[in-house]
Amino acid sequence: MTEILRLSSSDADFDARLNRLLAFEAATDDVIERSVSEILAAVRLEGDAAVLAYTRRFDGVDAQSLAELELSKAQLAAALASLPVAQRTALEEAAARVRSYHERQPLTSWDYEEADGTRLGQQVTPLDRAGLYVPGGKAAYPSSVLMNAIPAKVAGVRELIMVVPTPRGEKNPLVLAAAAVAGVDRVFTIGGAQAVAALAYGTQTIPQVDKIVGPGNAYVAAAKRRVFGTVGIDMVAGPSEVLIISDGSGKPDWVAMDLFAQAEHDELAQSILLCPDAAFLDAVAASIDKLLPTMPRAATIGVSLAKRGALIRVRDLDEACRIANHIAPEHLELAVHDGDALLPQIRHAGAIFVGHWSVEALGDYCAGPNHVLPTSRSARFSSPLGVYDFQKRSSVIRMSKAGAQRLGKVASVLAHGEGLQAHARSAELRVEAD
Amino acid sequence: MTEILRLSSSDADFDARLNRLLAFEAATDDVIERSVSEILAAVRLEGDAAVLAYTRRFDGVDAQSLAELELSKAQLAAALASLPVAQRTALEEAAARVRSYHERQPLTSWDYEEADGTRLGQQVTPLDRAGLYVPGGKAAYPSSVLMNAIPAKVAGVRELIMVVPTPRGEKNPLVLAAAAVAGVDRVFTIGGAQAVAALAYGTQTIPQVDKIVGPGNAYVAAAKRRVFGTVGIDMVAGPSEVLIISDGSGKPDWVAMDLFAQAEHDELAQSILLCPDAAFLDAVAASIDKLLPTMPRAATIGVSLAKRGALIRVRDLDEACRIANHIAPEHLELAVHDGDALLPQIRHAGAIFVGHWSVEALGDYCAGPNHVLPTSRSARFSSPLGVYDFQKRSSVIRMSKAGAQRLGKVASVLAHGEGLQAHARSAELRVEAD
């Protein structure tokens, strides 16, 4: 029997047990913090030389100059050309679909004119330059390159600079191919906190960016948190999660495999099923037992399900939606006969997959929406990565003389109320003008 | 002579001197960090009791229960009714204009259907509950209450909870009146890190919110940074800044007073003028000398101008725009004859005031756009506070059977490429289904 927590919403201590299951706080590690602090300071002071020294030390890559660590567009194109045709086609189709979805997102500038000729608006512009961190090694996901790079390019970011470590010089051709497909402008084979520092502060070779996105290990996450303010950063993600709401329709094997797909990411990943049908829950448990031994990543899946998974019996689907809103899951599958009937009850989730055909794996790769999603209950207040993250707004205020003279009186009253006399005077000067 | 730095963009060391002038980094203070960490832990563990104890200690306010520290809607309405009619009218007109501008912002949900019946979209929902921090004492600005609360209410936030400390029980009627005008739902007279903790974690009396916005002192800022993740937060603002681009048209007194209006905020506020006309720069310097002694806050203005202000001669207006984009100022006044001609060259600024009638003070209070703006060069990557900050998006994926079966093959190829076999299998199960 695969170990997985079984709960019922009618248990006396259900709320407390659910909250314990959900609890996750990223530990901050003093050793990592000190190390990252040193690396950031060194790169800020010494630039290229420090980046080269850390790359030699941590990645075992010995270069005389950072220019040597830049990959040409020809090298990216060659990586794409080297792929088996099925992989290349899949990557290109995924990119096209992600682009098509994100092209519906951009904010546009607007303004409006008032009766006295005053015009107010907001001007939307892309970031000048963005940095994309891509992990090396086992967590190197070409799909993440697409999901982070394409919204930036759709937003109109002029220069998108990717950094990806190549420990001992090993390059991942799928990652480089994804960079080619996504239209990444420059690629440097550096990583870790030193790469984050180079992007945040700029060096002799690497220009300063305005925002850094993309996943990374604990050093990268700590570095991103520390450079926030100097540059923008995306969210620092917690473990990945799926919540499945089932009405007892559908196939237990499908539900089990969807839980596995989350659990295989790592041991902290979280897979939870809510269902009012006790027999269906038992059937899913049986499917888990049957299918787990067939999975290449069975060990990771088993630990994840045992530590952080749960099969939860609920009273009905309304209660399931209430619990889902409390959990605010990164991924929510409505594995029910009539998903559209439930959808209006869902207020908080990163991505919502409606109906039995809408499996999370499609969203991870190629449905079109972004797979960078808010984790750890943050869908209560944050959103999937999107074109919005690579645009910013400026308010534009064009006062007419009549508008300035009328509103200047209002501003003067309020400024005096706040004790800010120069504010009041600067408004009054316009009121008093001929 | 008022002390203020004079620079020219043709100076040999201009770039370095400009960057030194702009440099600002919020110091982190270990004493504050330790104190805030303790306060957060205590409120998280003990709830109301800890909030009451800290309120007694820091604000000198002695209450038996947190309920005693809640203000009723009648109390807010009474504060509004108690204002002189000019103040009340000004507050209401400002609120109406801010509301009208922000009502043009909300994102709306959308979806689209593909040929095979697959539907993709994004569902936009408001945050359930937001917290608004309002400082007590000298930095208590009713305009900030309007600017933070109105976008939340326009977004559809169900419950907006304001906290405002009342040291020794002193309430600010303008602040309470602004809360009434803006439609704040509940108000507690608590402040400091303990108020941030109460909003972030919830207590017996105060419900947990999803996001905390609003300015505060160093303790409040540190507390907000620490609870980020548990709840959303707005940006942590640096000193306020204005950059004025002048073409030498307009009145030196107006420019001088607009520089003062920024400088009067505090000694770290920054006021910079760019102009190609040396005679006009001299005239502004003369206006500064003439007008400064007339200002009630002359001491603060003088220190701010001396420490962080500058009058800079530039070659021409194109260069002024390039420098403005480098500075990415919080407030940018285009104090020129033809502001619309310059506007397309401006890529990075929080709010842009076009033409001589568009004075920042109007934007601070009543033009309509938000006065909560990105500082310290962060307009390169961030935006004014808006309705967007109180909404979030969920991706919605409704695959048709045909869509799932076609894209399932794409996902399978990519998942195998990433070594995620359960992802591949969960897609393949749909491909294989009858």
Side-chain angles (χ1 to χ4, degrees):
Chain A
M1 279 283 288
T2 312
E3 192 191 336
I4 184 165
L5 182 66
R6 299 287 292 259
L7 288 177
S8 166
S9 64
S10 59
D11 295 343
D13 56 351
F14 174 72
D15 289 351
R17 294 188 71 184
L18 178 65
N19 283 335
R20 272 203 301 280
L21 184 69
L22 300 175
F24 173 80
E25 279 189 85
T28 54
D29 179 318
D30 282 346
V31 175
I32 291 179
E33 291 295 332
R34 268 198 304 277
S35 166
V36 165
S37 167
E38 272 171 38
I39 294 170
L40 294 182
V43 172
R44 193 172 193 174
L45 191 69
E46 299 162 25
D48 283 1
V51 176
L52 286 168
Y54 289 119
T55 300
R56 197 171 298 128
R57 191 199 313 176
F58 296 132
D59 295 341
V61 171
D62 206 358
Q64 296 309 305
S65 75
L66 259 188
E68 283 178 40
L69 298 182
E70 180 165 6
L71 300 181
S72 67
K73 290 228 169 176
Q75 285 173 290
L76 305 184
L80 181 58
S82 77
L83 295 184
V85 68
Q87 274 189 341
R88 179 183 175 143
T89 310
L91 211 50
E92 287 173 338
E93 172 149 14
R97 292 189 59 87
V98 171
R99 195 173 293 119
S100 163
Y101 179 88
H102 286 79
E103 279 170 353
R104 293 165 197 260
Q105 288 191 324
L107 291 178
T108 49
S109 301
W110 47 259
D111 71 358
Y112 59 99
E113 184 162 335
E114 301 189 302
D116 63 19
T118 292
R119 276 162 63 206
L120 302 172
Q122 66 183 26
Q123 175 170 298
V124 178
T125 45
L127 275 59
D128 280 352
R129 201 182 273 127
L132 167 53
Y133 192 93
V134 178
K138 63 175 180 167
Y141 294 147
S143 57
S144 285
V145 175
L146 301 185
M147 293 291 180
N148 282 279
I150 289 172
K153 297 309 287 185
V154 171
V157 170
R158 294 179 190 192
E159 189 168 49
L160 177 60
I161 302 178
M162 180 172 123
V163 292
V164 54
T166 53
R168 293 158 308 282
E170 280 173 44
K171 298 186 184 74
N172 181 330
L174 267 168
V175 162
L176 302 187
V181 168
V184 169
D185 296 293
R186 301 180 72 178
V187 177
F188 291 90
T189 58
I190 58 174
Q194 61 275 20
V196 173
L199 293 169
Y201 304 126
T203 70
Q204 297 84 345
T205 303
I206 298 181
Q208 182 186 37
V209 302
D210 300 303
K211 185 166 188 167
I212 301 175
V213 300
N217 63 18
Y219 289 84
V220 171
K224 279 170 65 182
R225 271 194 297 268
R226 280 170 178 266
V227 299
F228 177 56
T230 302
V231 295
I233 62 166
D234 58 354
M235 52 195 126
V236 175
S240 192
E241 323 141 12
V242 71
L243 178 70
I244 303 178
I245 295 179
S246 164
D247 58 1
S249 74
K251 300 185 172 66
D253 281 3
W254 291 19
V255 172
M257 194 58 69
D258 293 2
L259 296 170
F260 290 178
Q262 200 60 48
E264 77 176 334
H265 274 294
D266 59 70
E267 296 180 354
L268 288 171
Q270 184 155 60
S271 306
I272 298 178
L273 171 63
L274 305 178
C275 181
D277 180 339
F280 189 82
L281 286 165
D282 290 339
V284 171
S287 287
I288 290 174
D289 287 337
K290 176 185 71 180
L291 295 171
L292 185 56
T294 72
M295 302 312 301
R297 297 169 74 93
T300 302
I301 296 170
V303 175
S304 162
L305 293 181
K307 279 169 73 170
R308 303 207 71 220
L311 307 180
I312 302 177
R313 182 163 178 198
V314 291
R315 285 183 192 84
D316 51 34
L317 294 177
D318 288 347
E319 185 182 63
C321 290
R322 283 197 300 278
I323 294 173
N325 284 325
H326 176 70
I327 295 177
E330 182 189 15
H331 305 96
L332 174 63
E333 287 190 4
L334 302 178
V336 298
H337 178 67
D338 185 3
D340 277 323
L342 288 195
L343 189 59
Q345 295 185 58
I346 301 300
R347 296 198 310 283
H348 312 304
I352 307 168
F353 298 81
V354 184
H356 297 300
W357 297 106
S358 301
V359 53
E360 187 203 315
L362 297 180
D364 292 339
Y365 291 108
C366 54
N370 212 288
H371 80 191
V372 181
L373 297 167
T375 59
S376 305
R377 300 192 67 221
S378 64
R380 285 154 48 236
F381 53 83
S382 59
S383 300
L385 188 74
V387 172
Y388 314 95
D389 295 289
F390 299 97
Q391 297 183 307
K392 67 265 183 344
R393 298 167 274 114
S394 302
S395 305
V396 181
I397 294 138
R398 292 181 189 85
M399 301 302 299
S400 66
K401 179 179 177 184
Q405 295 198 324
R406 195 173 63 80
L407 292 181
K409 296 171 193 157
V410 176
S412 166
V413 170
L414 294 171
H416 281 298
E418 295 184 353
L420 296 174
Q421 299 87 0
H423 283 66
R425 280 304 296 149
S426 88
E428 289 159 10
L429 285 173
R430 272 73 175 184
V431 176
E432 294 158 5
D434 294 329
Chain B
M1 279 282 288
T2 311
E3 192 191 339
I4 185 165
L5 181 67
R6 298 287 292 259
L7 288 178
S8 166
S9 64
S10 59
D11 295 343
D13 56 350
F14 174 71
D15 288 351
R17 293 188 72 183
L18 178 65
N19 284 333
R20 272 203 301 280
L21 184 69
L22 300 175
F24 174 81
E25 279 188 86
T28 54
D29 179 318
D30 282 346
V31 176
I32 292 178
E33 291 294 331
R34 267 198 304 276
S35 166
V36 165
S37 166
E38 270 172 37
I39 294 170
L40 294 181
V43 172
R44 193 173 193 176
L45 191 69
E46 299 162 24
D48 282 2
V51 176
L52 286 168
Y54 288 118
T55 301
R56 198 171 297 126
R57 192 198 312 176
F58 296 132
D59 295 340
V61 171
D62 205 358
Q64 297 308 305
S65 73
L66 259 188
E68 282 177 41
L69 297 181
E70 181 165 6
L71 300 181
S72 67
K73 290 228 168 176
Q75 285 172 289
L76 304 184
L80 180 59
S82 77
L83 295 184
V85 69
Q87 273 190 341
R88 179 184 176 143
T89 308
L91 212 49
E92 288 173 339
E93 172 150 13
R97 293 189 58 87
V98 171
R99 196 174 292 118
S100 163
Y101 180 87
H102 286 80
E103 279 170 352
R104 293 165 197 259
Q105 288 192 324
L107 291 178
T108 50
S109 302
W110 48 258
D111 71 358
Y112 59 99
E113 185 162 333
E114 301 189 303
D116 65 18
T118 293
R119 277 164 60 207
L120 302 172
Q122 67 183 26
Q123 175 170 298
V124 178
T125 45
L127 275 60
D128 280 353
R129 201 180 273 126
L132 167 53
Y133 191 93
V134 178
K138 64 172 178 168
Y141 293 146
S143 57
S144 284
V145 176
L146 301 185
M147 294 290 181
N148 280 280
I150 290 173
K153 297 308 287 185
V154 170
V157 169
R158 294 180 189 191
E159 189 168 48
L160 177 60
I161 303 178
M162 180 171 123
V163 292
V164 56
T166 53
R168 294 157 308 281
E170 280 173 45
K171 298 185 185 75
N172 181 330
L174 266 168
V175 162
L176 302 186
V181 169
V184 169
D185 296 292
R186 301 180 73 178
V187 177
F188 291 91
T189 58
I190 58 174
Q194 60 275 19
V196 173
L199 293 169
Y201 304 127
T203 70
Q204 297 84 345
T205 302
I206 298 181
Q208 182 187 38
V209 303
D210 300 302
K211 185 166 187 167
I212 301 174
V213 299
N217 63 18
Y219 289 84
V220 171
K224 280 170 65 183
R225 270 195 297 267
R226 281 170 178 265
V227 300
F228 176 56
T230 302
V231 296
I233 62 167
D234 59 352
M235 54 194 124
V236 175
S240 194
E241 322 141 12
V242 70
L243 179 71
I244 303 179
I245 295 180
S246 164
D247 59 0
S249 75
K251 302 185 171 64
D253 282 3
W254 291 19
V255 172
M257 194 58 70
D258 293 1
L259 296 170
F260 289 178
Q262 199 59 47
E264 76 174 334
H265 274 294
D266 59 69
E267 297 180 354
L268 287 172
Q270 184 156 59
S271 304
I272 298 177
L273 170 63
L274 305 179
C275 181
D277 179 339
F280 189 82
L281 285 165
D282 290 339
V284 171
S287 287
I288 290 174
D289 286 337
K290 175 186 72 183
L291 295 171
L292 185 56
T294 72
M295 302 311 302
R297 297 168 75 92
T300 302
I301 295 170
V303 174
S304 161
L305 292 182
K307 280 169 70 170
R308 303 208 70 220
L311 308 180
I312 302 177
R313 181 163 179 199
V314 291
R315 285 184 192 82
D316 51 34
L317 293 178
D318 288 346
E319 184 182 65
C321 291
R322 282 198 300 278
I323 294 173
N325 284 324
H326 176 70
I327 295 177
E330 182 189 15
H331 305 96
L332 174 64
E333 286 190 5
L334 302 179
V336 298
H337 178 67
D338 185 2
D340 277 324
L342 289 195
L343 188 59
Q345 295 185 58
I346 302 299
R347 295 197 313 281
H348 312 304
I352 307 168
F353 298 81
V354 184
H356 297 301
W357 297 106
S358 301
V359 54
E360 187 203 315
L362 296 180
D364 291 340
Y365 290 108
C366 56
N370 212 289
H371 80 192
V372 181
L373 296 167
T375 58
S376 305
R377 301 192 67 219
S378 64
R380 285 155 47 236
F381 52 84
S382 59
S383 300
L385 190 73
V387 172
Y388 314 95
D389 295 289
F390 299 98
Q391 297 183 308
K392 67 264 182 345
R393 299 167 274 116
S394 302
S395 306
V396 182
I397 294 139
R398 292 181 188 85
M399 300 302 299
S400 66
K401 179 179 176 183
Q405 296 198 323
R406 195 172 62 80
L407 291 181
K409 294 172 194 158
V410 176
S412 166
V413 169
L414 294 170
H416 281 300
E418 295 184 353
L420 296 174
Q421 299 87 0
H423 282 67
R425 281 303 296 148
S426 87
E428 290 159 9
L429 285 173
R430 273 70 174 186
V431 177
E432 295 158 4
D434 296 327

